[in-house]
Amino acid sequence: MIEPRTMATAGLHDAYGRRIDYLRLSVTDRCDLRCSYCLPKGFDGYAEPEDWLTFDEIARVVAAFASLGVQRFRLTGGEPLMRRRLPSLVERLSAIGGVRDLSLSTNGTQLARHAAALRQAGLTRLNVSLDSLDKGCMREVTGRDSLDAVIAGLMAGKAAGLAPIKLNMVLMRGVNDGEVERMAAFCFEHGFILRLIEVMPMGERGRNAHYLPVSAVLPGLIARFGLAPSARELGGGPARYWQTPDGQGQLGVITPISQHFCATCNRVRLSVEGTLYLCLGQEDKVALRPLLRAGCDDAELCAAIVAAIRRKPEKHHFVEAPAKIVRFMSQTGG
């Protein structure tokens, strides 16, 4: 296993001077939901299991990124809890030197069964997708009656001591925009952090997902809950945070379309097949699996990662060319 090296102190930088310290890592492209902005009905273009990175290969990639100064790692999908023995992978990754922050993004449907094991294995925090507190709306958005399972997962994560738990709500005009205040009140009551996210036009489903800017709902939330801007750093991502007057309730907003944050982008994504995607809104990518399966050594793997990061684009083109990205979010890795 690669050990953190002196070069890690300098960090990993792209051609625009941005420090890359966050890898989002897909462990499966399967999902038990069919969210309207993510996967089309009837989609079956999944990667074959033999093409998935093995746990050994995932650990090698994480160790390589950690040796280059990347400290934050998030397991994503698809739905990552559909990957068998995921807690054992969490245990392996959390033990790698240089891994300071290991988290998980999930739709929450299977979280109640796995939360305690994940926490024991070394997972620290969670992002859970929940777009509505209305059963009918959740059925419409996710394709199944999923609300009760997600709520149970949230409560199990809280009971297991995973913190913070961020609740991701994708805003959709005419679908869930009337529920934002109710969702905020729910999160503030239970100690969850609500994050409002603008839908991104990835694939045909994403381009037809009733885009709504955060600015359409934020003023009402500020007035209703007395929110003020917060300077707290909560996970190293692109969210800008607001807080309640007592500082206990936190609200994050993620605005990739209306106010993009490309100039401070600090992340790349690795698909389940080992393809390193350098930007959600571009097609720039580098395949790492062929290197791994050809028997590359640690130095070659690190060199390939460094060269890939130098190719990271300056910004996405979601606004200028919304039809450019044809892959779905689940194929990219969360």
Side-chain angles (χ1 to χ4, degrees), residues 10 22 67 88 90 93 102 110 147-148 155 170 237 282 289-290:
Y22 187 178
S67 77
S88 68
V90 169
L93 300 185
L102 182 61
Q110 301 182 51
L147 180 61
D148 289 346
M155 299 311 168
V170 175
Q282 298 283 6
R289 188 186 71 211

Side-chain angles (χ1 to χ4, degrees), residues 106-112 115 126-130 132-133 147-162 165-168 183 186-187 190 192-193:
T106 175
N107 64 30
T109 59
Q110 301 182 51
L111 184 58
L126 287 172
N127 283 17
V128 179
S129 296
L130 182 61
S132 173
L133 291 171
L147 180 61
D148 289 346
V150 178
I151 296 297
L154 280 166
M155 299 311 168
K158 181 178 178 180
L162 291 161
I165 296 176
K166 298 177 183 178
L167 195 156
N168 291 343
M183 188 71 78
F186 170 79
C187 289
H190 293 284
F192 305 136
I193 299 173

Side-chain angles (χ1 to χ4, degrees), residues 279-325:
C279 174
L280 273 180
Q282 298 283 6
E283 291 291 357
D284 302 75
K285 59 189 177 183
V286 174
L288 297 183
R289 188 186 71 211
L291 284 173
L292 292 165
R293 297 195 176 172
C296 72
D297 63 25
D298 293 344
E300 290 170 324
L301 178 57
C302 287
I305 291 170
V306 171
I309 297 303
R310 296 293 292 179
R311 292 175 47 189
K312 183 174 170 64
E314 182 180 13
K315 61 181 181 179
H316 68 64
H317 286 163
F318 282 138
V319 177
E320 301 92 328
K324 183 175 181 178
I325 304 301

Side-chain angles (χ1 to χ4, degrees), residues 230-249:
S230 171
R232 292 179 65 181
E233 194 278 319
L234 295 169
R240 292 173 288 117
Y241 285 95
W242 298 71
Q243 64 183 21
T244 55
D246 62 4
Q248 299 303 304

